Every structure is written in structure tokens, then in C-alpha cells.
Amino acid sequence: MRITEDTRVGRLVSASPAARSVLAWYGVDVEAGDFELKLEELCNERELDIDDILVDLRSQVQDDDDDDDDDDEDDDEGGFDGFDADDDDDDED
């Protein structure tokens, strides 16, 4: 997920549970009324540094995305190996 100043808070916290934790670290308890705000608007209202928050959010949300990718790769590899096991033996002869 690409996170910018224009990213909506609701989209961000829905896409990544880690995003809510990062915002909480900055003292932001995300409420339903915040969901329509852009990150920049939220930061301006709460007098927070948008650049610092963006760095932390990008780092944590990227980590979440990487974890999800790892899970998908494991699932794909397991299915692929089981399906092509006979084909691999034929190719080696």
C-alpha cells in the first residue's frame, strides 16, 4: 500500500492493523469520525509532524505487507510442489 499525506485514515487502518498501533504511539486514538480524514488533515488537527508519522507508517505497513507476502509464498510453494512432484522426476531422466 502506498501511503501519502492524502491517504485516508480509514483506508489505512483497514488495510493494516499496524497502522492503528503507529497512530496510537503518537497519541491518536482513531475514531469513526477520523476515517474520512486524510493523514495530513489528521496531523494538522492534532499538531503532529506528518513527515515523522509517514516514515513510521511506511515502515510498519511495509513490514505487514512483507509478512502477508511470505504467507502467500508458503501457500503457493506447498501447492506447487505437491502438484508437480511427478513432473520433476520425468524431467531429470
Side-chain angles (χ1 to χ4, degrees):
M1 171 179 197
R2 184 166 182 257
I3 302 170
T4 69
E5 296 89 349
D6 295 325
T7 301
R8 299 273 176 198
V9 173
R11 181 171 179 262
L12 179 63
V13 297
S14 295
S16 173
R20 189 179 291 269
S21 298
V22 170
L23 293 172
W25 190 88
Y26 282 94
V28 177
D29 183 21
V30 178
E31 301 170 1
D34 298 326
F35 280 24
E36 293 301 315
L37 293 175
K38 296 178 181 180
L39 277 173
E40 185 174 39
E41 296 168 334
L42 180 80
C43 289
N44 287 340
E45 284 183 7
R46 312 250 173 126
E47 298 180 2
L48 299 170
D49 186 316
I50 184 70
D51 293 325
D52 289 343
I53 290 179
L54 284 172
V55 167
D56 290 339
L57 284 170
R58 288 172 179 153
S59 170
Q60 292 301 310
V61 171
Q62 180 63 39
D63 289 346
D64 272 1
D65 289 345
D66 289 345
D67 290 345
D68 290 344
D69 290 344
D70 290 345
D71 291 343
D72 290 343
E73 288 176 12
D74 291 343
D75 292 343
D76 290 343
E77 288 175 4
F80 181 79
D81 288 344
F83 180 74
D84 289 335
D86 292 333
D87 290 341
D88 289 339
D89 292 337
D90 293 339
D91 291 341
E92 291 176 10
D93 292 339

